[in-house]
Amino acid sequence: SLSHHPPRGVAGIFQSTKKLVLSERAGRGQILEFLRKNAANGLSMANLVAGLASILCSLNRQYSYSCWLLLVGFLLDLADGAVARRLNACSALGAKLDDFADFTTFGLATALLLQPEGVLDGLLVIAYVMAVFSRLCFFSSAGIPFTYRGLPCPYASSLLAGTFLLTGGNVVLLRVTAAVMVLFMVDRGFYPHDKVLESQLWKKVVYAGGVVAILFSPATVASVYCLAWSTSYIVFPFAIWSCKA
């Protein structure tokens, strides 16, 4: 009698093809899930690399490149939290990686811009690094949502990098500015959690303008833009940057 089933060889090929397609789909799903969970970690790693590269530039007295890398780190830091929340990929490991990247970039790398040459200069560098360390490790928002306690260190770093570029590396002015930023960071006054990429459209436009200014504009334009951005947040945190997501 004639069989209504396909020959065994054809059925075997069909089953093998089906398994291959399913396995490929599963593999793609695993890859996409891995990328989703680690997208923010990738941005934190990029921030860390930018900080380490900035340190190397400072050690070689290439301070302009160091400032540019700090400003890139500033953009990366604002993005990684937004990406983690958007993709629902927040984790304890990611938070630790982000803090370590911030300490490296906005603490150690930024402090090297001060170019310490004596005991007093060295103490200022230590004070700046410890202020960043304290700000990252010990300050909390005391249960108040959408706020920081103390000035977030990326804004202090952006201000210092912009000041360095705009003044041509005026070390005296930079050290005075750094001392003021130490006071802002250790003060427990409240600052809004700006959530630039998760709030009003104009904040996203400001971020996009920062990307264009830092990556594609002359150093003077980028420094003025970042100085205005950081100063507006530092001086008028709630009047301008209060989160209304």
Side-chain angles (χ1 to χ4, degrees):
S1 60
L2 295 175
S3 174
H4 296 288
H5 298 285
R8 181 180 296 271
V10 176
I13 294 174
F14 176 77
Q15 291 295 331
S16 298
T17 303
K18 183 178 179 180
K19 290 180 180 179
L20 180 61
V21 170
L22 291 176
S23 64
E24 287 180 351
R25 288 180 180 175
R28 283 197 296 270
Q30 291 175 351
I31 292 173
L32 291 174
E33 180 64 13
F34 176 82
L35 293 175
R36 183 189 71 81
K37 289 183 176 180
N38 291 280
N41 292 343
L43 291 172
S44 294
M45 283 297 297
N47 184 13
L48 175 60
V49 171
L52 292 173
S54 177
I55 290 173
L56 291 176
C57 288
S58 292
L59 292 176
N60 287 283
R61 298 192 173 276
Q62 296 175 328
Y63 295 107
S64 296
Y65 292 114
S66 179
C67 291
W68 179 82
L69 288 165
L70 291 175
L71 295 178
V72 170
F74 173 66
L75 294 177
L76 292 170
D77 183 69
L78 290 178
D80 63 11
V83 169
R85 289 185 291 269
R86 179 71 177 177
L87 298 178
N88 191 27
C90 300
S91 66
L93 175 61
K96 291 178 181 178
L97 178 60
D98 182 52
D99 284 345
F100 182 66
D102 286 353
F103 178 72
T104 301
T105 303
F106 308 125
L108 297 175
T110 303
L112 286 179
L113 291 180
L114 303 178
Q115 305 173 46
E117 295 180 351
V119 175
L120 291 178
D121 297 341
L123 291 175
L124 177 59
V125 168
I126 292 173
Y128 191 91
V129 173
M130 292 305 296
V132 172
F133 177 77
S134 300
R135 171 65 187 77
L136 291 172
C137 295
F138 301 116
F139 285 21
S140 67
S141 59
I144 301 176
F146 306 120
T147 60
Y148 299 110
R149 295 195 72 172
L151 174 67
C153 49
Y155 286 94
S157 175
S158 174
L159 184 71
L160 289 175
T163 300
F164 190 101
L165 291 173
L166 194 62
T167 62
N170 188 316
V171 180
V172 175
L173 179 59
L174 196 72
R175 290 169 182 168
V176 172
T177 306
V180 174
M181 290 301 99
V182 168
L183 297 177
F184 273 95
M185 284 189 286
V186 299
D187 179 70
R188 289 180 176 265
F190 291 110
Y191 281 85
H193 193 314
D194 48 343
K195 288 180 174 250
V196 174
L197 295 177
E198 302 167 82
S199 191
Q200 298 101 314
L201 176 61
W202 72 267
K203 294 181 183 179
K204 299 175 184 178
V205 172
V206 169
Y207 183 89
V211 173
V212 173
I214 291 172
L215 299 184
F216 305 107
S217 300
T220 302
V221 175
S223 59
V224 170
Y225 192 95
C226 292
L227 271 174
W229 184 356
S230 301
T231 302
S232 67
Y233 179 83
I234 294 169
V235 180
F236 307 106
F238 285 96
I240 297 178
W241 289 96
S242 181
C243 181
K244 296 177 182 177

